[in-house]
Each structure stands twice: as C-alpha cells, then as structure tokens.
Amino acid sequence: METGTARVKRGMAEMQKGGVIMDVMNAEQAKVAEAAGATAVMALERVPSDIRAAGGVARMADPTIVEEVMKVVSIPVMAKARIGHFVEAKVLESLGVDYLDESEVLTPADEVFHIDKHDFTVPFVCGAKDLGEALRRIGEGAAMLRTKGEPGTGNIVEAVRHMRLINSQIRKVQNLSKDELYAEAKNLGVSYELLLNVHQHGKLPVVNFAAGGIATPADAALMMHLGADGVFVGSGIFKSDNPEKFARAIVEATTHYTDYKLIAEVSKNLGTPMKGIEISKLAPSERMSDRGW
Amino acid sequence: MKIGVLALQGAVAEHIRSLEAAGAEAVAIKWPQQLEDVQGLVIPGGESTTIGKLMRKYDFIKAIQQFSEQGKPIFGTCAGLIVLATQIEGNQGPEEPHLALMDMKVRRNAFGRQRESFEADLSVKGIHEPIRAVFIRAPLIDQVGSHVDVICETNGEMVTARQGHLLACSFHPELTDDIRLHQYFVDMVRESMQQQG
C-alpha cells in the first residue's frame, strides 16, 4: 500500500475535471458552495479582490478557518501557501488539507525557489502563464496546474491569454522534430524528459484548470472551450449579489459549456457580477500573475 | 456495442479510453435521451455530491433507474459506487441516496482525507492476476444485501461488488492502463445483449 504517489496525487485532480472549485472564507460560504455543486472549496481568509483592496502582505489563512471549512463539507478542501513558503505548506498539510495551492495570490516568501512539492504526501496545484512555467512546476512535483489569470480583477483577459499561449506552445512542441527538443527545452527552461512527454502526447501530463478573473457563467464556459479541464472561481461568487444562484449558474455553465441556450437561461437575473478592473489600470507591482517564474 | 459514460463531472475521458481499449464503442452522456442509444453505462469517479446534484437537475435519476430495470448493465467507480448505493453512511444529505439501485450501505471518504489516498495490488474474483487499484478519498462498502456478491476486498474491507447486471468499485480502474475490469464490464454488457436477443 503506497500513499502520495504521482498517480494518487494527479488522480485526485482528474476527479475534479469538469468541475468548479470555489474560494470560501468561512464555513457558511463553504456550505453554500457545496450545495451549489462545487467539486472542492479553497479555504481563504480573504478572496483575491479583498487582498488587492487591503494591500500589505497576504499570508496563509488562519488554521481555524481551514479547520472550520473541513468540518462542514464532504468535498475536498484546498488551501493556499505563499510561493516558496514550505513551512506554511507543511502546516496546512498537517491539518489534513486535501490539496495545496502554492499561490501568487499571496505575497511570495521566496523570489528564487518554489516549494519542492515532491517532499509532500498532499498534492499541489500551481499557477502557470506559459508552457515553461507549467513544466517547471510539474518538475518540482505539482500534480495539477491552473492558469494564473489576474486574480481578483473579474477580468478574464489574462486567463484567456495564458490558456491560449500554453495551447499554442504545446502545438509547437508537437510539431518539432525530436532532435529539436533539446534546444527547445533550453529555451523554455524545462527538463528534456517533460518536454518529450508533451511532444509525444500533445498535452500536459497533469490536469490544467482555468483561474484568475472568471466572473460570469459565460466566462467559465469560454475557458472550457479553450481547453480548461475545469475552473477555479475566486472573488466572482461571494462578491456577487446573489452568491447561491451565481454559484449554481457557474457549475451548470461549466458542465454544459457548449449549450448556449442553457448558459443564457442560467445567466438570467443573476444580478451584478463583481465590478472588475481593467488590467492596464494595474500598476506592475499590483500584477499577481508576474509573481513566480 | 456502445457504452455510455455519464459526463456531468469527473474522469470521463479516462473511462472512454479504457472502454475503447476493451473493444467497445464509448460515448459521453450529457442528457438522459442519449441513454436510448447505449447498451451499458459507466458512472465515473468525480465528486459524488456534484454528480448527484447534476443528475437530479437534468432528470437522470428516473432515466437511469429505468435503464437498469431493462437489465442493462451499469458500472460505478468511486463516486459512481456512492451514487448507485441504497444507503450512504454518516451525514447523508437531504437528496441522498441517489439512484438506490445496489443493495449496499457505503461510507464516503472511508479511508480519510487525500493524504490517506493510496494504491495497492488487489485480487478480484474472476480476474486472474491482481490489479493495481488506485484509491482516492475512496468510499467503502460497509454492508451488502444477500444477493450482492463481493468480488474484491482490501484488509477485510469490501471494495468491489456485483449485483446481477450492476457492478461497483471504490477505486479507479480508469487511472491505470490495466483494462481488465473494464473488460469484465464489457463482457457483462455483451452477455446482457445476448440475453435480450
């Protein structure tokens, strides 16, 4: 009997496919998310848009919040650690969290080294905005990926950019001849073995979700069309007028992302989605997607 | 032979790949009407609460129960096992049980949380060599009715059962390249087609 194998870690992410993972800040919100059909919840102290508003250093959530959430739902519970902060990650693992997110939404603790994720029994999800980042994170042991997008903006443009870029880079790698892969591995800053795997299979070896800026059911469906295996919704749900209805609508639009009539139906009278921020109005220092390498 | 994979959420593509490798045609099922075109159904792993809710939302409960009444085989893995059971142990939600087709009492997340998820080699009655079984936040079968045959156990706990044309396991055969359990199910579907002429 073996625990924490790559198959067990990556398999856990496979079970999330076609689903919606929702940010929650307390037990009450976690119950709303589960009742709406979320496949997992991300337990946080503040959602990304509040982190933006508050400024300062954003850290791992208070363990009380994480434990409260774990107590009230039967779906998996995820939590975020700062980039490079392996002690926060170990603390969250000790609480029994099901999945860890080494997240650029929090203030990075290390500007050079990401966490060695092989050193954990619990699997990790990491953000990536291009193929190089994606494969570097997998090399470090990530069992699931997500686009970085631009969290807390309610603006889908960065998530779209990241998903399209990764897809086009994968297509390019597929079309390279085998002897060209060595130089491409150097260009991308990734291991040859991982790049060879992408070349052979035409896809990433782990599940890749969309995240960062998804604010409406149509946004979720758009990301599914672009090849996302599922979606993370952060500030979008509990910053909307009617979180319960909103959460259900996002779940349905993700399941039936090619059914436009259904998406129209669930999008009716949802109230105002979160306000949203134009990306060009963000100062470079406010861009979370530039954190990590 | 065409076998459907319920495609509301979860590991759909993996089941389709395994069924095709076992010699069947496989198709994703998004709406109940599609059940008319298939002779067998797989309910995949995923999150049972999510799959259960979406099954209700899109009127799959009655449709799959009728599918079963016609003697057409159904195979549930992990979440699919929970969805098939007549009884769910512990904090059973107001909308549970779901399909209530297999006479068994199951316990979700029975081994613990994700850090307790594991893989192991297990013997299955009717399959020669052991198979590699991947358990992810897996459920267990606590009790079975007299007409349910338990065909696989780990450490004395029941993890695979068959009740006539219904098959359920608490692990994920779709996550390995070993297709023998899918082959077993494809054979069940073939037998049921022969019986129905």
Side-chain angles (χ1 to χ4, degrees), chain A residues 11 50 204 218:
Chain A
D50 286 345
L204 292 167

Side-chain angles (χ1 to χ4, degrees), chain A residues 133-154:
Chain A
E133 258 189 338
L135 295 182
R136 283 193 292 278
R137 296 295 86 77
I138 294 169
E140 295 155 2
M144 179 183 188
L145 294 170
R146 53 172 176 73
T147 59
K148 285 183 167 175
E150 195 51 53
T153 60

Side-chain angles (χ1 to χ4, degrees), chain A:
Chain A
M1 191 192 264
E2 293 175 76
T3 58
T5 62
R7 190 143 59 186
V8 164
K9 289 175 171 179
R10 291 176 182 185
M12 157 83 206
E14 302 280 350
M15 296 312 135
Q16 292 286 312
K17 283 198 298 189
V20 182
I21 300 170
M22 303 182 190
D23 277 2
V24 299
M25 290 176 285
N26 52 50
E28 212 44 57
Q29 291 183 351
K31 281 194 265 186
V32 170
E34 186 177 49
T39 49
V41 290
M42 177 76 73
L44 291 167
E45 208 158 307
R46 284 175 293 179
V47 293
S49 65
D50 286 345
I51 290 174
R52 278 189 190 285
V57 174
R59 309 178 181 89
M60 164 185 90
D62 184 328
T64 322
I65 295 175
V66 179
E67 280 182 337
E68 269 177 22
V69 169
M70 282 168 44
K71 231 176 272 167
V72 298
V73 295
S74 73
I75 55 177
V77 176
M78 303 185 170
K80 287 181 194 294
R82 281 179 269 178
I83 290 174
H85 206 314
F86 54 86
V87 171
E88 282 189 351
K90 285 285 181 193
V91 168
L92 292 168
E93 181 178 55
S94 79
L95 295 175
V97 165
D98 296 294
Y99 232 97
L100 296 172
D101 184 357
E102 185 181 19
S103 179
E104 67 282 2
V105 167
L106 306 180
T107 312
D110 193 320
E111 292 183 336
V112 181
F113 300 105
H114 280 253
I115 297 171
D116 173 10
K117 293 165 276 285
H118 293 292
D119 189 34
F120 289 75
T121 309
V122 166
F124 273 80
V125 55
C126 287
K129 49 188 192 303
D130 56 44
L131 184 60
E133 258 189 338
L135 295 182
R136 283 193 292 278
R137 296 295 86 77
I138 294 169
E140 295 155 2
M144 179 183 188
L145 294 170
R146 53 172 176 73
T147 59
K148 285 183 167 175
E150 195 51 53
T153 60
N155 190 338
I156 195 72
V157 68
E158 293 301 310
V160 168
R161 190 194 317 281
H162 300 163
M163 191 57 82
R164 280 198 183 272
L165 179 57
I166 288 178
N167 288 341
S168 84
Q169 288 177 307
I170 289 174
R171 284 193 296 270
K172 183 187 164 201
V173 167
Q174 258 187 300
N175 287 329
L176 292 176
S177 65
K178 224 171 152 190
D179 63 335
E180 291 171 330
L181 290 176
Y182 298 97
E184 186 63 9
K186 174 177 170 269
N187 288 340
L188 291 173
V190 303
S191 89
Y192 169 76
E193 287 70 24
L194 282 173
L195 198 66
L196 179 64
N197 183 293
V198 172
H199 173 72
Q200 286 166 337
H201 296 97
K203 62 185 189 69
L204 292 167
V206 303
V207 163
N208 188 21
F209 269 46
I214 293 159
T216 67
D219 284 352
L222 173 66
M223 295 313 297
M224 294 299 287
H225 270 281
L226 291 175
D229 290 312
V231 298
F232 282 89
V233 186
S235 320
I237 290 169
F238 291 100
K239 286 287 157 189
S240 71
D241 280 353
N242 186 345
E244 214 171 320
K245 198 171 168 192
F246 202 85
R248 277 201 308 268
I250 296 242
V251 168
E252 285 202 61
T254 304
T255 301
H256 288 295
Y257 63 92
T258 56
D259 191 327
Y260 309 113
K261 261 196 173 144
L262 182 144
I263 297 170
E265 207 50 49
V266 300
S267 300
K268 285 178 184 166
N269 300 312
L270 278 184
T272 323
M274 65 179 289
K275 182 151 176 294
I277 302 170
E278 168 65 43
I279 302 293
S280 59
K281 300 283 192 311
L282 287 176
S285 64
E286 294 172 332
R287 294 185 63 139
M288 293 173 175
S289 60
D290 289 339
R291 296 167 172 177
W293 54 279

Side-chain angles (χ1 to χ4, degrees), chain B residues 25-194:
Chain B
E25 195 182 332
V27 54
I29 304 283
K30 291 252 178 193
W31 297 104
Q33 305 85 281
Q34 291 177 274
L35 289 171
E36 289 165 22
D37 302 326
V38 296
Q39 291 82 47
L41 179 70
V42 170
I43 304 175
E47 285 305 319
S48 61
T49 48
T50 307
I51 294 174
K53 262 170 226 307
L54 293 171
M55 282 171 67
R56 268 188 181 71
K57 180 98 203 172
Y58 304 123
D59 301 322
F60 268 108
I61 300 284
K62 253 269 155 58
I64 296 176
Q65 285 167 343
Q66 282 167 357
F67 186 85
S68 173
E69 276 166 30
Q70 297 163 24
K72 292 179 182 163
I74 304 176
F75 180 18
T77 61
C78 195
L81 169 138
I82 296 173
V83 165
L84 282 172
T86 48
Q87 258 186 297
I88 301 171
E89 171 79 39
N91 50 349
Q92 180 160 310
E95 296 180 328
E96 295 174 342
H98 302 290
L99 291 168
L101 287 172
M102 277 183 88
D103 187 8
M104 59 187 182
K105 188 179 192 179
V106 300
R107 188 158 31 109
R108 57 161 58 100
N109 303 337
F111 294 93
R113 305 195 69 95
Q114 173 60 17
R115 64 182 172 196
E116 278 85 37
S117 295
F118 65 98
E119 49 181 296
D121 291 323
L122 301 181
S123 302
V124 180
K125 202 159 74 177
I127 294 178
H128 271 308
E129 301 279 312
I131 64 169
R132 191 68 172 169
V134 185
F135 291 84
I136 293 171
R137 290 168 42 89
L140 273 178
I141 306 168
D142 272 344
Q143 286 167 31
V144 292
S146 55
H147 45 294
V148 177
D149 193 12
V150 176
I151 60 171
C152 179
E153 298 187 5
T154 176
N155 297 327
E157 306 273 17
M158 300 180 274
V159 294
T160 308
R162 180 171 175 180
Q163 174 188 320
H165 64 294
L166 305 172
L167 178 67
C169 66
S170 55
F171 53 90
H172 294 284
E174 75 279 13
L175 289 183
T176 69
D177 294 328
D178 187 340
I179 58 160
R180 286 175 296 164
L181 206 53
H182 284 88
Q183 191 68 63
Y184 183 99
F185 180 64
V186 168
D187 291 344
M188 282 171 60
V189 177
R190 188 170 298 118
E191 277 163 36
S192 95
M193 285 169 72
Q194 280 160 359

